[in-house]
């Protein structure tokens, strides 16, 4: 009997993506104010935003929202709202993330 390697690869990829989603939900961050460059239902789009941020020199991380329904991509976090907004305007102007916004979410 022939083994369908394409199907086996698809199953392995699906399992890896599920493990990645679980890891994303457990992201650890200490500051509650996050500069978000995008929030996505589709993890593929979140990964694209993540890679773009990495290419620009950021150390992005995922923030799970609405019990994992959305995956937000954060590029920085801050202990207070004033620092977050000061950096937000700079990031919007310098890096072209015009749609970036500040999210308040504490690590649970």
């Amino acid at each position: 009997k022939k083994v369908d390697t394409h199907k086996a690869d698809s199953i392995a990829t699906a399992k890896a993506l599920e493990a990645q989603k679980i890891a994303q939900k457990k992201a650890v961050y200490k500051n509650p104010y996050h500069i978000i460059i995008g929030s996505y239902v589709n993890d593929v789009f979140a990964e694209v935003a993540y890679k773009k941020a990495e290419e620009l020199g950021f150390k992005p991380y995922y923030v799970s929202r609405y019990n994992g329904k959305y995956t937000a991509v954060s590029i920085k976090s801050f202990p207070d709202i004033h620092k977050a907004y000061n950096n937000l305007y700079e990031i919007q102007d310098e890096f072209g993330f015009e749609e970036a916004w500040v999210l308040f979410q504490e690590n649970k």
Side-chain angles (χ1 to χ4, degrees), residues 10-31:
S10 295
I11 292 169
T13 300
K15 286 182 180 179
L17 287 173
E18 189 59 33
Q20 181 184 14
K21 283 176 87 171
I22 291 167
Q24 289 171 4
K25 290 177 186 174
K26 295 181 180 178
V28 177
Y29 44 85
K30 66 178 184 173
N31 296 318

Side-chain angles (χ1 to χ4, degrees), residues 1 6-7 10 12 36 56 61 65 67 69 77-79 81 86 92 97 100 103:
K1 192 173 184 180
H6 181 69
K7 185 175 181 180
S10 295
I36 303 296
L56 291 171
Y61 57 93
R65 300 187 65 230
N67 296 319
K69 184 175 180 182
S77 67
F78 299 91
I81 194 167
N86 287 339
Q92 288 172 327
F97 291 119
L103 167 70

Side-chain angles (χ1 to χ4, degrees), residues 34-69:
H34 310 274
I35 294 180
I36 303 296
I37 59 169
S39 186
Y40 309 93
V41 174
N42 186 326
D43 286 343
V44 172
F45 294 126
E47 188 176 339
V48 169
Y50 186 99
K51 286 181 181 178
K52 180 180 178 185
E54 275 186 323
E55 289 169 5
L56 291 171
F58 293 100
K59 292 181 180 170
Y61 57 93
Y62 296 111
V63 178
S64 180
R65 300 187 65 230
Y66 300 105
N67 296 319
K69 184 175 180 182

Side-chain angles (χ1 to χ4, degrees), residues 2 5 12 22-23 26-27 33 43 51 56 64-65 70-73 81 84 87 89 97 101-102 104:
K2 256 181 133 175
T5 55
I22 291 167
K26 295 181 180 178
Y33 295 94
D43 286 343
K51 286 181 181 178
L56 291 171
S64 180
R65 300 187 65 230
Y70 292 90
T71 301
V73 179
I81 194 167
N87 279 269
Y89 302 133
F97 291 119
W101 49 280
V102 174
F104 175 80

